[in-house]
Amino acid sequence: MTDSPDASSLVSASSQLNLMEVDTIDDKEFDIPQVDTPPTLESILNELEDEEEPFVLEDTCVLNTDNMDAHSCDTSSLASSDSGDPVHLKRKRRTVDLNPTVHGSVLRHSLLKGISAQIVSAADKVDAGLPTAITVSGVIAVGTSHGLALVFDTNQALRLCLGTKATGAEFGAVSALSINHDCSRLLCGFAKGQITMWDLANGKLLRTINDAHPPGTAILHVKFTDDPTLAVCNDSGGSVFELAFRRVMGMRSCDSRCLFSGSKGEVCSIEPLHAPPDFRDHPITHYSLLAMASLTKILVIGLKPSLKVWMTFPYSKSDPSSVPQLAWQFVPVQKTVNPILAFCKGDTVHFLLVKKEETGTIHVIKQRQLHLSCDIISLSWINSRTLVLVDSHEKLQVVDRPSQEVLETLDLEQVQLVYNSRHFKSLATGGNVSQALALVGEKACYQSVSSYAGQIVFLGTKSAHIMALRNWRERIDCLLKQEHFVEALSLAWSFHEGTAKAVVGLFGDPVKRKGVVSDKMVEILFQFAEHALKKCPEQGKIQVMEQHFQDVVPVLVDYCLLLQRADLLFNQLYARLVENMVAKGVFLESLESYIVADRLGHLTTPIMRDLLAHYHDNGMMDSLERCIVHLDVTSLDIQQVVRVCWENQLYDAMIYVFNSGMNDYITPMEKLFAVIGPPLREGRSLTDEEVVMGNKLLVYISCCLAGRAYPLGDIPEDLVVQVKHQVFEFLIRLHSADSSDEEEVFPFIRTLLHFDTREFLNVLAMTFEDFKNDKQALEYQQRIVDILLQVMVDNPDFTPSQVGGLFTFLARQLAKPDNTLFVNRKLFDQVLEFLCCPDDDSRHTERQQVLLELLQVGGVVQFNEERLLALAEKAKFYQICEFLYEKKHLYDRIIDCYLRDPLRKVEIFSYIHNLLSMPGYSPEEKQTVRDKVLQHMLELVTLDPSKSADLVVFHFTEEVQQIISEFQDDELLFRFLSCLLEPREGHHTGTVLLEHDLHELQLDLLSRFAPQQLLSFLKTSQHYRLEEAIQITQKYHHNEATAYLLEKKGDFQGAFAVLLETLKEKLSLLTAECDRGDAGGDEEETDSESTLTTVKDSLDNIIALCHQSSQNLYQQQREVLWFPLLETMMASQKLVKGLHAKHMFEVLKELTMKVLNCMSSFISLPAIIQRILQDPVYGKGKLAEIQGLILGMLDTFNYEQTLLETTTSLLNHDLHWSLAHLRAAVTRGLHPRQDYCNICLQQYKRRQDSADEIIVFSCGHLYHFQCLQQKDCGWGVSSELQQRWSCYKCSSSKGGRGGPSTEPKRGRSTSLAQTRVSSVHHDAGAEADKKKVFVEATLDSQQEQSWDQLRCLYRGPSRLSILSELSHSHSSEKTGLLITAQPGTENFQLKLSPPPLFEE
């Protein structure tokens, strides 16, 4: 049953609506019930074949497109290969993605060759002009620019040529066409405004209408309604008129009435609701609905029984050049069929559902809108679920409305669409249209696109094209022709599952529908396999061939399994693939993922044989094992599989085969025990492989006892109890089957205990959980416990940990409420002795841990606590002691346990902190712990001074003095105090830690043990007394610290003296080293270098001190500081002698210059020069020696003078710039936004009798003087002239009254120039003469802020603040003009040091 793509059919509207659309609606989405009597398979097949027969024309038309195939060479430019589907992408995956969105080619695009040829021919031969409009119904009519209308039939033969070139010259081009529903009449609208009506049966002109609308406007649209006597037209003035055709006594007339006037907003698109033949009786047709789109809104009106507007809907914001579009369609929604109006302007399509209520009113419901990223110029429905859009780049998009998915995109560039811009601009009548309509007309192509019965016709400048939806087979065949098999299968599967979009040709019973599609898919699968084998590269790399088949074979397997056709896969397809060895390998390997996912449970015997061989030969043993445990055992050769599994260590698969194939659960255990038993008995360590086997064995036993199958699934219910008993019987066997004489009893339990005691006991514990009412199982439980005790107790082969594990396990079992086990209690005492009194001291931690676990199980195990405590202390089991003390609430004793336990010593701090911080302990208990801690405090400090200090800060602040008094070791005390006095974030230090004594003690200790930290401590700590601190630093001769303290005290002179003394010492040291340097070698040189560094540091310190103190001293006091320093530096130069003298002399001279440079800021130059000349080093020499010194000072002076002049110049320039800008701003004219007062909302020239003063603000608001006064918007009143105003609207929130706003965001609300305008009126009737009178230009606070912001833009120093401060201090009478600098602005003030501190 082939179904060739036949372009010669346009499906009738009735079949389209009845058969396709209602069935392709998503039933779930619209809640549509199942059809009672679905059509039979034969009827479906017959319907499909009908498309190939000649179409019988009823009331619709079919166009014969010369049976042109959409894929023929000459028209394939727009074929599906350009549709943007992802079909060209190579698939690089092994597994198949079942949900790729493949739509294939949805639209069949055909060129109407006959019509296109005749349009061109008419233009060339009879000068018909270029095509301007097209409409399609039972026939196709094309209008031309010379006023002709060409009518073609369904075979594209020209039936009629209506009109003449003479009328064309009179009426202009055909600008609009419309055919009525029974194809008997044609309306033509013309560019100069006339309308003609023609009889399509005989080509007669029935009417010429000249007066239906205002003259001088072109007809943009003319449309028949469903009533053949009623039409509507829309002209370039934006008006809409109803045309009612009458025939009285043989006279034809036309009555016109205006439905919408262009003066209220121009309409540029109209669309009457046309009901398809099946819905002619729909109740909504009685209203004769008409949708109109103006430039700003949509209107839906009813023409009958009387004119009524049912809805208006404004557009959202859009580009003014976007073209409004309208399109009606009857759509099934929730069991009923109602019209939906789709409209758009720009990139968003809105949908409105229009329903008739029982009351007779029409109800409009907004549906989900569709957003696209393009400017839409044409919008048409092709069926009730699918829209066809054209954007401004002439790209056609097919969109599925329910999912909002773009199914296909085609380029219409070659169509060369005809645009209707000339008529929208009404060029034929002189272009008298609005700019807005002319702008929309740039992209208008209303008359070039016509949709009818599931097809859309596009008019090009030299051609006509038709678009229709392809049927489902055609869409698949398109992809197959391009050899896109994977996409074809994906598309076919979407048809099969009912998820495809825009489906044509599939209807009826879903089961039969699936049958038809699956037959097609089987056909494609065979084609795909043949194609893959044919296209396989003959030679080359094996990887290339593998990749080739990996792109094909998994797809075949996947779709065969989806279609549940494993027979097809294993017989026909496999038989073809086996011919190629690479394909066969890929096929067998691709089965793994489906077997593991349980999608494929049964393989045929030959394939199973091939699978085993292939996986074995390629060493893919893990994959083979994964497959076997998921397969049905009946398809396996059991002996062969077991042999392969055992040889290749596939134990999971082996166990699975024994269990599932033979119901044998014991043999696998025997086989595994035989491997791991001997090495464990001999005491050898196991290999990795044997450890894996042992672990599998434990898991297997656990599964069997729990009723689960290994490695996955469950044991059949009827076997669960039997398997459990078999396994227990096996475990408690006295001897193995082939035992030797020296074999110990209970070999299997012994082996498992040696392999992993803890895990084996865990398996038993989990099993015992399930034993509730099973008497037999409880006997096994007791028997196993007795065997465990017999094997493990008094057996030197087991470690304390293993024995302890056993007793912990037993204790847990005994502690259960429904326990039935019996264990001799003496055994527990025996274990206690065994753990606490070993023969040697090894495994101490392990034994302690085991005993702790045993105690924590608690309940049943009642030891004598005194004896246990004695044993634990003797064995140094401090955790046990802690456990026992905890029970007795002897928390102070626990502290001893921690201190004596070397492993847990460091944890004592957190233990003490938690105990003292947390609730739940009595005050007495906490007190005993506190006492104990204080008793051992020295020990704790020795352990960790930092954590001890934290403890003291949080819990022992009151006892600090007592703790300190106990210290013997000063260095330890120093470390402790350092941590104690460290500042802590977020913790409020107690008053005790702020005592002077503590800080002074720390100062003393710092002086002894860490003098380098002394200065930083003095700077951070605030809790020492200055006098005592000075005494301490002097006692240990820490001069820098002493100087810092003296300076802090305010004794600059004393601090200077101390630092000067230090400098002198270091200088004398330096000169002494210079003398020695002559005799010494390199070592002396390095010594003198380090001494020189200390000299420089010392000098820097003393200069810094002089700097800080000079700012607060008089000239005379400054000299007392600086000159002794200068003399010291100059004196040191005289003392330098020896070989290194020259270098050292230069360095000292440089340092002296540094001092001079720093002095010059505070001491006058003549005084400095005079002092230098008095000095013997410089004074007795020639001028040349001090020339450098004096020139350096002069250079500094020149530099500073230039700097000052430049700064002053910049300041003046900047100030002038700011003032000029500000003056320009305040003298700018103001332009009011409105001509009425913003308070009383009346024109400002309302009163003719008296002059009315007006105040205008820079924000553009305007007020009457009296209105503002009433609202109390004036402030700072000192006199009539100095009244200041703020804008009422801007300064008040929500129009209420607000005070004078000073926030920057409202800076514009007060005018920069407070301007009053007086209107002086003459006598009544005379024209008002308005003058602006500048009353005053002052600065208010907001202008100050503006000024401040202006200054901030220029990132210089705060000059304006300086000026405003100066104006405050010098001109008190002008204080009103400048306000004080606000917080946050920089203030001009002297930076003074704090006054000196004097201790009482």
Side-chain angles (χ1 to χ4, degrees):
M1 183 190 71
T2 58
D3 185 12
S4 64
D6 177 14
S8 69
S9 66
L10 276 171
V11 184
S12 75
S14 59
S15 67
Q16 175 194 8
L17 263 162
N18 262 348
L19 301 173
M20 286 158 43
E21 301 325 320
V22 179
D23 273 289
T24 53
I25 295 293
D26 183 352
D27 293 355
K28 287 178 190 162
E29 181 188 346
F30 293 108
D31 190 23
I32 295 172
Q34 289 293 319
V35 182
D36 294 335
T37 52
T40 61
L41 181 60
E42 289 75 25
S43 71
I44 294 169
L45 298 178
N46 289 338
E47 280 165 347
L48 290 171
E49 284 169 358
D50 280 348
E51 292 190 11
E52 295 173 3
E53 295 171 6
F55 190 85
V56 181
L57 187 66
E58 297 165 0
D59 61 334
T60 55
C61 95
V62 176
L63 295 166
N64 185 333
T65 52
D66 299 347
N67 291 327
M68 178 190 112
D69 185 351
H71 294 286
S72 59
C73 311
D74 52 348
T75 60
S76 63
S77 59
L78 294 168
S80 62
S81 57
D82 298 328
S83 63
D85 284 330
V87 290
H88 311 299
L89 304 175
K90 291 279 281 179
R91 295 168 69 84
K92 296 283 180 193
R93 302 187 279 277
R94 289 180 71 108
T95 54
V96 188
D97 176 11
L98 287 183
N99 306 317
T101 318
V102 176
H103 300 297
S105 174
V106 179
L107 272 191
R108 185 197 307 119
H109 172 196
S110 312
L111 170 69
L112 296 172
K113 288 183 181 174
I115 294 177
S116 303
Q118 290 177 80
I119 289 172
V120 174
S121 163
D124 292 347
K125 293 177 181 168
V126 299
D127 193 22
L130 295 173
T132 55
I134 193 165
T135 185
V136 59
S137 183
V139 295
I140 285 188
V142 178
T144 71
S145 57
H146 290 174
L148 302 180
L150 310 174
V151 182
F152 300 90
D153 66 10
T154 53
N155 295 317
Q156 302 186 44
L158 181 63
R159 268 179 41 190
L160 297 168
C161 176
L162 307 175
T164 62
K165 284 196 285 181
T167 56
E170 184 188 343
F171 294 171
V174 173
S175 59
L177 291 168
S178 177
I179 300 173
N180 65 357
H181 70 80
D182 63 357
C183 240
S184 60
R185 299 282 185 270
L186 170 70
L187 278 176
C188 297
F190 290 91
K192 293 187 181 176
Q194 294 84 349
I195 299 171
T196 59
M197 180 191 276
W198 301 85
D199 185 337
L200 287 178
N202 51 26
K204 279 186 182 173
L205 175 66
L206 302 180
R207 290 181 175 83
T208 302
I209 305 162
N210 295 313
D211 54 356
H213 66 104
T217 54
I219 297 291
L220 300 183
H221 302 276
V222 61
K223 304 257 169 133
F224 272 111
T225 64
D226 278 349
D227 177 356
T229 66
L230 205 61
V232 281
C233 74
N234 173 204
D235 65 15
S236 59
S239 301
V240 180
F241 295 87
E242 176 190 78
L243 308 175
F245 304 119
R246 301 270 180 276
R247 188 173 179 189
V248 182
M249 300 178 68
M251 290 293 291
R252 298 178 193 274
S253 65
C254 173
D255 297 337
S256 158
R257 74 165 165 167
C258 180
L259 300 177
F260 188 89
S261 166
S263 61
K264 295 177 184 172
E266 291 139 314
V267 169
C268 51
S269 175
I270 56 172
E271 200 61 57
L273 172 61
H274 289 295
D278 291 12
F279 296 105
R280 290 274 152 83
D281 299 331
H282 194 287
I284 208 152
T285 54
H286 307 317
Y287 292 93
S288 192
L289 292 184
L290 172 70
M292 303 189 286
S294 77
L295 299 178
T296 54
K297 59 179 179 282
I298 296 286
L299 293 96
V300 175
I301 65 173
L303 301 179
K304 293 178 178 178
S306 59
L307 188 64
K308 180 161 184 179
V309 177
W310 288 111
M311 184 215 66
T312 59
F313 191 96
Y315 301 122
S316 48
K317 279 191 177 175
S318 64
D319 182 355
S321 68
S322 299
V323 191
Q325 296 291 331
L326 298 167
W328 287 100
Q329 175 73 22
F330 278 82
V331 176
V333 178
Q334 294 173 348
K335 303 179 187 176
T336 59
V337 178
N338 279 304
I340 281 187
L341 174 66
F343 71 88
C344 68
K345 185 177 191 292
D347 59 358
T348 305
V349 184
H350 300 267
F351 297 96
L352 299 175
L353 176 68
V354 182
K355 290 169 76 172
K356 177 180 181 285
E357 298 294 331
E358 290 175 8
T359 56
T361 58
I362 284 179
H363 190 46
V364 179
I365 306 161
K366 195 175 177 190
Q367 308 283 295
R368 184 165 66 136
Q369 55 200 38
L370 166 70
H371 292 281
L372 295 159
S373 52
C374 57
D375 185 17
I376 300 164
I377 61 167
S378 169
L379 169 71
S380 316
W381 293 86
I382 200 160
N383 66 28
S384 64
R385 294 168 69 91
T386 317
L387 290 150
V388 175
L389 313 165
V390 181
D391 67 17
S392 53
H393 299 296
E394 294 194 3
K395 293 273 188 300
L396 178 142
Q397 298 187 31
V398 185
V399 182
D400 180 61
R401 187 178 84 88
S403 67
Q404 304 209 341
E405 205 176 338
V406 177
L407 307 182
E408 186 176 15
T409 308
L410 293 172
D411 195 344
L412 293 186
E413 198 179 343
Q414 292 180 337
V415 172
Q416 295 181 328
L417 263 184
V418 171
Y419 287 89
N420 316 134
S421 312
R422 290 180 62 83
H423 313 315
F424 271 78
K425 294 176 183 174
S426 199
L427 298 181
T429 60
N432 53 339
V433 296
S434 71
Q435 283 184 334
L437 194 66
L439 184 62
V440 167
E442 293 292 342
K443 298 183 202 166
C445 58
Y446 294 111
Q447 304 302 328
S448 316
V449 183
S450 179
S451 67
Y452 179 72
Q455 296 163 119
I456 302 176
V457 178
F458 290 93
L459 180 65
T461 51
K462 294 182 178 174
S463 58
H465 300 253
I466 190 162
M467 306 277 180
L469 290 175
R470 296 179 187 275
N471 72 24
W472 69 276
R473 283 178 182 279
E474 201 180 323
R475 280 167 68 180
I476 294 173
D477 291 340
C478 283
L479 291 168
L480 292 178
K481 278 186 184 177
Q482 297 167 41
E483 296 185 347
H484 296 151
F485 292 96
V486 178
E487 285 74 15
L489 282 165
S490 177
L491 179 61
W493 182 247
S494 68
F495 289 135
H496 186 276
E497 292 300 289
T499 58
K501 310 286 189 294
V503 186
V504 178
L506 273 180
F507 28 78
D509 179 15
V511 177
K512 292 172 182 173
R513 196 159 47 176
K514 284 187 175 185
V516 174
V517 177
S518 59
D519 289 347
K520 179 71 178 173
M521 287 182 75
V522 170
E523 196 183 302
I524 300 170
L525 289 170
F526 280 121
Q527 282 182 33
F528 193 15
E530 292 299 332
H531 176 267
L533 288 166
K534 196 165 67 183
K535 293 281 183 183
C536 175
E538 288 299 320
Q539 64 265 11
K541 286 187 180 175
I542 190 81
Q543 289 93 332
V544 177
M545 294 172 75
E546 275 184 0
Q547 185 59 51
H548 172 75
F549 284 111
Q550 276 165 8
D551 291 342
V552 176
V553 176
V555 181
L556 298 176
V557 177
D558 209 86
Y559 282 109
C560 283
L561 293 179
L562 282 172
L563 292 168
Q564 296 170 345
R565 293 291 303 272
D567 58 314
L568 185 77
L569 183 68
F570 294 145
N571 300 330
Q572 294 98 309
L573 281 174
Y574 185 59
R576 284 295 289 118
L577 294 171
V578 167
E579 294 167 18
N580 184 308
M581 283 310 292
V582 179
K584 178 183 174 183
V586 172
F587 177 84
L588 292 170
E589 283 171 33
S590 69
L591 293 180
E592 181 196 341
S593 57
Y594 300 102
I595 294 170
V596 171
D598 290 325
R599 288 182 60 190
L600 188 58
H602 185 87
L603 299 182
T604 59
T605 312
I607 289 190
M608 189 65 221
R609 196 170 51 243
D610 290 353
L611 186 84
L612 272 174
H614 177 80
Y615 280 49
H616 186 268
D617 295 346
N618 287 287
M620 298 165 63
M621 286 303 151
D622 289 346
S623 296
L624 180 60
E625 183 169 40
R626 277 198 294 278
C627 289
I628 290 172
V629 299
H630 282 83
L631 281 171
D632 179 5
V633 185
T634 54
S635 64
L636 305 178
D637 176 346
I638 289 179
Q639 284 180 327
Q640 182 196 8
V641 172
V642 169
R643 183 173 50 75
V644 170
C645 292
W646 188 253
E647 283 170 5
N648 296 284
Q649 291 96 39
L650 307 183
Y651 304 116
D652 286 2
M654 182 197 74
I655 292 171
Y656 173 77
V657 172
F658 271 110
N659 292 359
S660 305
M662 298 184 270
N663 281 349
D664 180 353
Y665 289 83
I666 301 302
T667 310
M669 285 200 284
E670 287 178 336
K671 280 180 173 286
L672 293 174
F673 270 119
V675 178
I676 66 165
L680 283 169
R681 281 200 293 279
E682 292 160 21
R684 283 191 283 118
S685 61
L686 298 179
T687 62
D688 288 349
E689 189 187 313
E690 287 164 344
V691 170
V692 170
M693 288 172 76
N695 285 328
K696 282 188 190 297
L697 185 56
L698 277 173
V699 176
Y700 176 57
I701 292 171
S702 169
C703 285
C704 289
L705 293 176
R708 290 194 306 279
Y710 181 86
L712 42 100
D714 291 307
I715 297 173
E717 277 187 33
D718 52 334
L719 292 176
V720 171
V721 178
Q722 184 190 333
V723 169
K724 199 181 286 187
H725 291 175
Q726 281 179 3
V727 173
F728 272 130
E729 285 294 341
F730 173 76
L731 288 177
I732 61 179
R733 279 184 196 172
L734 203 57
H735 287 288
S736 56
D738 50 352
S739 61
S740 58
D741 296 340
E742 65 271 10
E743 185 186 71
E744 294 180 273
V745 289
F746 308 116
F748 301 128
I749 286 185
R750 203 176 284 273
T751 302
L752 290 170
L753 286 170
H754 276 297
F755 175 72
D756 193 331
T757 312
R758 191 171 287 268
E759 284 309 318
F760 177 49
L761 292 174
N762 282 345
V763 169
L764 291 178
M766 285 195 298
T767 311
F768 290 176
E769 288 290 321
D770 300 339
F771 294 170
K772 292 285 181 280
N773 307 317
D774 186 348
K775 193 176 175 195
Q776 175 74 47
L778 293 172
E779 286 174 16
Y780 281 127
Q781 185 176 347
Q782 184 67 50
R783 181 88 181 94
I784 282 186
V785 168
D786 294 342
I787 292 171
L788 289 173
L789 289 167
Q790 186 183 336
V791 169
M792 289 187 79
V793 176
D794 296 334
N795 187 340
D797 293 349
F798 292 100
T799 63
S801 178
Q802 288 172 314
V803 177
L806 170 65
F807 278 93
T808 307
F809 161 73
L810 291 176
R812 287 198 178 118
Q813 295 303 320
L814 294 172
K816 287 182 186 168
D818 53 356
N819 170 50
T820 56
L821 282 178
F822 171 75
V823 179
N824 188 343
R825 299 298 158 104
K826 287 182 183 173
L827 284 171
F828 282 98
D829 291 336
Q830 217 176 318
V831 169
L832 182 60
E833 292 287 336
F834 167 70
L835 291 172
C836 290
C837 312
D839 303 334
D840 60 346
D841 201 32
S842 61
R843 298 175 180 269
H844 179 274
T845 315
E846 185 185 323
R847 284 183 290 119
Q848 177 174 231
Q849 204 56 43
V850 168
L851 186 52
L852 194 61
E853 274 184 30
L854 192 52
L855 287 176
Q856 281 166 344
V857 174
V860 184
V861 192
Q862 298 297 338
F863 293 112
N864 179 338
E865 290 197 353
E866 297 304 321
R867 179 162 171 270
L868 179 58
L869 196 55
L871 283 170
E873 285 187 339
K874 183 181 166 194
K876 297 182 180 172
F877 286 173
Y878 295 115
Q879 280 174 275
I880 307 295
C881 296
E882 182 189 341
F883 180 77
L884 295 169
Y885 288 140
E886 184 88 39
K887 282 171 82 171
K888 294 180 177 181
H889 301 292
L890 296 173
Y891 301 109
D892 53 330
R893 304 284 288 277
I894 293 175
I895 289 170
D896 288 330
C897 294
Y898 274 102
L899 285 170
R900 284 153 63 194
D901 189 345
L903 294 173
R904 300 196 308 148
K905 254 187 179 180
V906 288
E907 293 172 25
I908 189 168
F909 297 103
S910 52
Y911 176 77
I912 296 169
H913 175 65
N914 290 344
L915 193 136
L916 293 175
S917 308
M918 288 162 72
Y921 300 99
S922 69
E924 294 77 27
E925 287 165 354
K926 288 191 178 181
Q927 192 53 49
T928 56
V929 171
R930 290 173 68 87
D931 297 342
K932 191 75 172 180
V933 172
L934 287 170
Q935 196 181 326
H936 289 284
M937 187 54 84
L938 278 180
E939 217 174 318
L940 293 173
V941 173
T942 314
L943 186 63
D944 188 331
S946 171
K947 288 184 176 172
S948 307
D950 287 343
L951 263 187
V952 171
V953 168
F954 284 101
H955 304 292
F956 296 96
T957 45
E958 303 303 321
E959 292 86 355
V960 170
Q961 293 297 348
Q962 176 196 336
I963 293 167
I964 287 172
S965 63
E966 291 172 9
F967 278 88
Q968 307 296 320
D969 180 358
D970 279 357
E971 192 169 346
L972 186 62
L973 176 60
F974 162 63
R975 281 162 55 207
F976 172 67
L977 272 181
S978 296
C979 301
L980 189 67
L981 299 179
E982 255 180 14
R984 285 169 175 76
E985 275 185 29
H987 182 73
H988 181 65
T989 314
T991 48
V992 180
L993 297 183
L994 306 180
E995 288 178 0
H996 302 311
D997 305 351
L998 271 185
H999 288 260
E1000 284 156 17
L1001 173 60
Q1002 175 67 351
L1003 206 54
D1004 194 291
L1005 293 166
L1006 269 169
S1007 303
R1008 287 160 58 194
F1009 297 113
Q1012 67 278 6
Q1013 296 170 22
L1014 189 57
L1015 208 56
S1016 65
F1017 177 76
L1018 288 170
K1019 286 176 181 173
T1020 51
S1021 171
Q1022 304 294 326
H1023 306 294
Y1024 52 82
R1025 292 168 296 184
L1026 277 174
E1027 290 299 334
E1028 281 73 0
I1030 291 169
Q1031 286 171 15
I1032 293 167
T1033 52
Q1034 283 175 341
K1035 174 173 143 191
Y1036 294 105
H1037 305 295
H1038 293 309
N1039 291 350
E1040 277 185 37
T1042 312
Y1044 171 76
L1045 290 167
L1046 286 168
E1047 186 188 345
K1048 191 172 177 179
K1049 183 179 167 185
D1051 181 1
F1052 294 110
Q1053 205 61 49
F1056 177 74
V1058 172
L1059 285 176
L1060 192 62
E1061 194 58 43
T1062 313
L1063 181 64
K1064 283 179 180 172
E1065 281 173 22
K1066 289 181 179 172
L1067 283 168
S1068 61
L1069 209 72
L1070 186 68
T1071 49
E1073 274 173 8
C1074 271
D1075 296 346
R1076 285 208 311 280
D1078 296 348
D1082 292 343
E1083 277 182 38
E1084 253 67 5
E1085 261 188 60
T1086 54
D1087 282 353
S1088 64
E1089 282 299 320
S1090 65
T1091 314
L1092 190 59
T1093 311
T1094 60
V1095 167
K1096 284 180 179 173
D1097 292 344
S1098 187
L1099 185 63
D1100 287 345
N1101 287 341
I1102 199 164
I1103 287 174
L1105 174 73
C1106 293
H1107 241 298
Q1108 288 161 14
S1109 48
S1110 292
Q1111 293 178 355
N1112 299 342
L1113 299 176
Y1114 301 119
Q1115 184 70 22
Q1116 207 171 351
Q1117 291 169 311
R1118 290 177 186 174
E1119 288 179 7
V1120 174
L1121 280 184
W1122 286 101
F1123 283 141
L1125 175 60
L1126 184 63
E1127 281 162 9
T1128 306
M1129 287 308 298
M1130 292 197 295
S1132 63
Q1133 292 178 37
K1134 291 185 283 184
L1135 302 172
V1136 177
K1137 295 173 188 146
L1139 283 174
H1140 298 286
K1142 193 170 182 199
H1143 167 65
M1144 200 55 73
F1145 189 79
E1146 287 303 321
V1147 171
L1148 288 172
K1149 203 164 182 180
E1150 199 179 305
L1151 292 176
T1152 311
M1153 272 306 293
K1154 187 175 177 179
V1155 174
L1156 281 167
N1157 275 339
C1158 295
M1159 282 174 74
S1160 58
S1161 306
F1162 299 103
I1163 294 177
S1164 61
L1165 286 178
I1168 296 174
I1169 290 172
Q1170 187 182 355
R1171 185 54 68 99
I1172 290 171
L1173 294 176
Q1174 286 171 1
D1175 187 88
V1177 176
Y1178 294 108
K1180 291 177 185 172
K1182 297 171 185 166
L1183 185 65
E1185 288 180 11
I1186 61 165
Q1187 184 182 2
L1189 197 66
I1190 292 170
L1191 283 175
M1193 288 163 68
L1194 287 171
D1195 274 352
T1196 308
F1197 170 75
N1198 284 334
Y1199 167 70
E1200 288 185 356
Q1201 190 179 20
T1202 311
L1203 198 65
L1204 185 66
E1205 286 170 0
T1206 311
T1207 310
T1208 312
S1209 151
L1210 283 171
L1211 189 72
N1212 292 340
H1213 174 271
D1214 196 43
L1215 181 65
H1216 175 267
W1217 180 85
S1218 300
L1219 287 169
H1221 272 258
L1222 195 64
R1223 185 181 177 282
V1226 298
T1227 55
R1228 194 180 70 235
L1230 298 177
H1231 172 64
R1233 291 192 212 161
Q1234 306 95 345
D1235 61 350
Y1236 55 82
C1237 166
N1238 273 282
I1239 292 174
C1240 66
L1241 302 177
Q1242 293 194 26
Q1243 296 268 333
Y1244 59 77
K1245 49 184 178 183
R1246 62 178 175 183
R1247 285 189 285 199
Q1248 304 294 321
D1249 49 352
S1250 66
D1252 199 10
E1253 288 186 330
I1254 284 150
I1255 294 181
V1256 184
F1257 290 92
S1258 61
C1259 52
H1261 293 126
L1262 171 149
Y1263 302 96
H1264 291 111
F1265 176 67
Q1266 284 90 340
C1267 295
L1268 265 189
Q1269 259 187 338
Q1270 285 165 10
K1271 291 290 181 187
D1272 201 10
C1273 282
W1275 53 284
V1277 181
S1278 55
S1279 71
E1280 176 71 22
L1281 279 182
Q1282 291 220 328
Q1283 171 116 18
R1284 304 197 184 167
W1285 298 102
S1286 62
C1287 173
Y1288 173 66
K1289 256 193 146 172
C1290 299
S1291 64
S1292 57
S1293 62
K1294 298 181 184 171
R1297 198 185 133 226
S1301 166
T1302 54
E1303 290 169 47
K1305 64 182 175 184
R1306 296 180 182 165
R1308 284 190 68 224
S1309 40
T1310 311
S1311 69
L1312 281 171
Q1314 300 289 349
T1315 311
R1316 291 188 193 166
V1317 183
S1318 295
S1319 295
V1320 184
H1321 298 285
H1322 300 301
D1323 299 333
E1327 198 168 325
D1329 173 31
K1330 293 177 278 296
K1331 286 186 205 165
K1332 281 190 183 174
V1333 184
F1334 284 94
V1335 176
E1336 172 191 16
T1338 62
L1339 297 177
D1340 65 17
S1341 65
Q1342 289 168 325
Q1343 291 154 6
E1344 287 275 339
Q1345 281 175 348
S1346 306
W1347 192 339
D1348 207 35
Q1349 284 168 351
L1350 231 146
R1351 175 183 58 71
C1352 288
L1353 288 174
Y1354 184 83
R1355 296 278 180 199
S1358 175
R1359 295 143 201 157
L1360 214 63
S1361 293
I1362 297 172
L1363 291 169
S1364 73
E1365 290 291 340
L1366 289 174
S1367 72
H1368 271 292
S1369 51
H1370 293 307
S1371 54
S1372 55
E1373 70 278 359
K1374 290 184 183 174
T1375 47
L1377 299 182
L1378 283 163
I1379 61 162
T1380 344
Q1382 295 179 357
T1385 62
E1386 301 167 47
N1387 286 339
F1388 181 72
Q1389 59 185 19
L1390 295 170
K1391 293 185 170 51
L1392 301 172
S1393 295
L1397 291 167
F1398 289 104
E1399 289 289 326
E1400 289 302 314

